Amino acid sequence: MTDSKTIVVGITGGIAAYKAVGVVRLLVKAGHDVHVVPTEAALRFVGLPTWEAISRNSVTASLYDDVAAVRHVALGQAADLIVVAPATANSLAKLAAGLADDLLGTTVLASRAPLVVAPAMHTEMWSNPATRANVATLRERGVVVVGPGSGALTGTDVGEGRMSEPDEIVAAALRVLEASAAPAVPARDLDGLRVVVSAGGTREPLDPVRFLGNRSSGKQGVAFARAALARGAQVTLVAAHLAGEVDVAGLAVIDVTTASEMALAVESAAEIADVVVMAAAVADYRPASVSETKIKKDAEGDELTLRLVKNPDILAGLAAARRPGQTVVGFAAETAPTRDELLELGRTKATRKGADLLVVNLVGWAAGFGSDDNTVVVLDGAGSVVAESAGSKRAVADAVLDEVVRVRGGGGAGVGGAGEPSPSA
Ligand code: C5P
């Protein structure tokens, strides 16, 4: 079992509802958070206490319970998967028509989750052209139909229409869940391009044991490197003191310590690069002199004054020197009290640095650095907002790379390319 998902199990009004108890039980046993939504008719076959006990969640069939929690859409929005078992002929017709006259109907309509149905009915109803058409409509929309099988039906009838066994339904449901969770195959839209990414935080030595540094973990830069590799690029990562090991097949890693070392490494890699992403937190200043020996507090007394000198701005230098067809992306990690002030700082930086794109993010004592998520606004060289992204650092990297592809006119080495530097060059 992988991680726990939210699964809605719709129960409609057929005798096979008793078998659906097994479906709910197996999904709970597999570690999922299961919410049962029965129809009123289903409750005539199996009562509410059974569903609550088996699913370990509260259950209602009514649209009008818990209205404040907007239950009629909340469950559908939260669901990773919806399974309707048993699905009667009537419920298949309602699903095909998109009717929302009960809690199950609204839940399904309000959801983007994949839908699995397990029909159960008498043979004549299953073979009726109306049911055939409804099932065909549902299949066309991507609904997965499990069964029905053949066997004993209610009464003395025997034939096609018997609901599949709980383990078959659950196996199919879990396959659908797994397929929907699998990451989409990334577009190879950086195919053949050379991408240089800087990541981490530089360290400026004061003496043999001390340095001036920053809290950058390098996670965002590493996410860029991984995303660019997945999109077909040849990637060089210039890494300054990353928080963890980077063991990524096919990634060239150059380790550096100071801003000057980073400048040398990035500038030389950039000579043949199509895209440069400066995600590293580069020290703006370095100590004017580095003590050969450990600075002693006995010699300095109660106050120690450090004299710092400015480091070269690698990003601004790259942007100014970029070749036709080369795309340069910078970062602006800012501490600002409001979004407007953040964007204002970003706009000023975008025009000063001259990069094609500037990724602005809010950092502070708790935000940005070190976390697995990020929230960014992407500006163009003139400071206009061209994209926004929030989520995992990988998702943010992909959103920014989408913009890189757009700026370059789409496609990898053989397809398009910017040709000319932007007016801000
Ligand atoms: O000016 P500021 O440090 O906020 O700019 C951040 C952007 O500039 C980042 O992309 C960072 O990698 C880059 N930078 C640089 N060289 C410096 C300082 C920052 O390339 N000396």
Side-chain angles (χ1 to χ4, degrees):
M1 224 278 301
T2 48
D3 52 339
S4 171
K5 299 288 183 190
T6 301
I7 303 179
V8 169
V9 181
I11 316 287
T12 67
I15 182 63
Y18 83 92
K19 278 167 63 179
V21 173
V23 172
V24 174
R25 193 178 62 80
L26 288 173
L27 289 172
V28 171
K29 208 170 149 201
H32 298 293
D33 181 26
V34 181
H35 295 264
V36 174
V37 181
T39 60
E40 292 289 353
L43 292 178
R44 290 173 176 256
F45 295 92
V46 178
L48 205 134
T50 301
W51 298 122
E52 292 202 327
I54 298 290
S55 70
R56 304 179 192 161
N57 276 313
S58 60
V59 174
T60 175
S62 170
L63 268 173
Y64 304 106
D65 284 341
D66 213 0
V67 173
V70 206
R71 200 176 168 84
H72 73 290
V73 292
L75 263 181
Q77 288 168 340
D80 297 298
L81 174 72
I82 301 182
V83 181
V84 179
T88 59
N90 181 54
S91 64
L92 292 175
K94 286 172 70 173
L95 289 171
L99 292 187
D101 61 352
D102 58 11
L103 186 59
L104 181 58
T106 57
T107 301
V108 172
L109 272 194
S111 183
R112 296 203 175 100
L115 178 61
V116 174
V117 297
M121 64 202 75
H122 276 268
T123 309
E124 294 80 351
M125 295 170 91
W126 176 244
S127 53
N128 188 289
T131 306
R132 308 308 313 149
N134 291 329
V135 170
T137 301
L138 292 172
R139 281 205 167 105
E140 262 170 42
R141 287 187 203 141
V143 174
V144 174
V145 181
V146 185
S150 279
L153 305 168
T154 325
T156 54
D157 287 352
V158 177
E160 207 185 0
R162 186 183 155 92
M163 188 174 88
S164 295
E165 291 309 307
D167 55 352
E168 283 174 57
I169 297 169
V170 168
L174 296 181
R175 275 197 302 275
V176 170
L177 198 57
E178 207 171 299
S180 69
V185 178
R188 303 277 298 179
D189 50 9
L190 298 177
D191 215 8
L193 294 185
R194 289 193 172 89
V195 174
V196 177
V197 181
S198 72
T202 60
R203 290 181 182 175
E204 306 299 327
L206 284 164
D207 68 18
V209 293
R210 302 187 181 93
F211 59 83
L212 296 178
N214 61 69
R215 295 171 55 227
S216 174
S217 65
K219 285 183 182 173
Q220 184 62 76
V222 172
F224 264 105
R226 286 181 189 276
L229 269 177
R231 294 166 82 140
Q234 292 174 42
V235 185
T236 301
L237 182 72
V238 180
H241 306 284
L242 306 183
E245 283 291 303
V246 189
D247 188 13
V248 181
L251 180 67
V253 182
I254 303 172
D255 289 311
V256 297
T257 286
T258 63
S260 307
E261 285 174 29
M262 176 161 280
L264 276 179
V266 170
E267 281 158 12
S268 110
E271 277 172 21
I272 52 162
D274 302 288
V275 179
V276 184
V277 179
M278 281 297 297
V282 184
D284 291 323
Y285 294 90
R286 66 178 182 277
S289 61
V290 181
S291 172
E292 287 293 320
T293 53
K294 193 178 164 198
I295 299 168
K296 304 294 285 179
K297 57 178 173 289
D298 307 339
E300 300 295 336
D302 285 348
E303 276 190 24
L304 170 65
T305 304
L306 294 177
R307 206 167 66 78
L308 305 178
V309 293
K310 212 165 191 178
N311 276 327
D313 190 320
I314 309 168
L315 175 63
L318 287 172
R322 72 187 178 284
R323 303 185 315 277
Q326 193 175 47
T327 312
V328 176
V329 182
F331 265 73
E334 303 290 354
T335 50
T338 65
R339 179 189 153 89
D340 283 350
E341 286 165 88
L342 180 70
L343 286 184
E344 195 44 49
L345 289 170
R347 266 190 286 276
T348 310
K349 191 159 290 180
T351 44
R352 182 159 52 80
K353 298 266 186 180
D356 296 285
L357 296 168
L358 190 79
V359 183
V360 184
N361 69 329
L362 188 67
V363 294
W365 294 109
F369 283 156
S371 84
D372 291 326
D373 295 322
N374 211 350
T375 301
V376 305
V377 179
V378 186
L379 307 181
D380 64 14
S384 302
V385 175
V386 290
E388 304 205 18
S389 175
S392 67
K393 287 187 168 170
R394 174 62 183 266
V396 165
D398 270 312
V400 175
L401 290 175
D402 288 347
E403 286 309 306
V404 168
V405 170
R406 192 188 54 73
V407 163
R408 298 180 58 79
V415 200
E420 293 298 326
S422 74
S424 58

